[in-house]
Amino acid sequence: MKVFFAKEYLLELYRNGKTRDKHHRYQPSIVKKYQSIIHFMLDASDTEKLRTLPSLHYEKLIGNKAGYSSVRINAQYRIEFTEMIEDGETIATICIINELSNHYQ
């Protein structure tokens, strides 16, 4: 699967483990898990592979987040992304990391 980062700080987190953006600072354990999940996505042939790890809780979102899919980093954070098919290959675009507690407010 191809992964593109919609925001610069998401790419920095993946590559460097930190970001210059002061609004997007996360605990090292969150960053490490984020990097691990992105690496798994890069190795996966399609989003169906995300279902093979139940801990990711892969799901297509509904409501005001319709059109996005997500996987969980932990109980508080998740990676939201859009899915596209290009020449039969799934492309996931990482969009933003949200706090789940804010999602339900």
Side-chain angles (χ1 to χ4, degrees), residues 1-65:
M1 175 177 356
K2 295 180 185 176
V3 175
F4 297 96
F5 298 87
K7 299 187 178 172
E8 185 64 29
Y9 82 92
L10 294 167
L11 179 60
E12 288 177 0
L13 278 175
Y14 175 64
R15 286 189 177 161
N16 307 327
K18 60 183 177 180
T19 178
R20 292 174 281 153
D21 183 352
K22 293 181 182 181
H23 293 6
H24 298 102
R25 303 259 168 115
Y26 300 95
Q27 296 173 354
S29 62
I30 300 299
V31 173
K32 186 174 181 176
K33 181 78 174 184
Y34 169 77
Q35 290 171 320
S36 172
I37 292 170
I38 299 300
H39 185 72
F40 181 78
M41 292 175 80
L42 288 167
D43 287 344
S45 57
D46 58 28
T47 54
E48 288 303 311
K49 294 287 185 192
L50 301 177
R51 293 185 194 280
T52 63
L53 287 178
S55 64
L56 293 180
H57 299 280
Y58 168 74
E59 64 180 335
K60 293 193 184 278
L61 302 177
I62 57 174
N64 65 344
K65 298 279 186 170

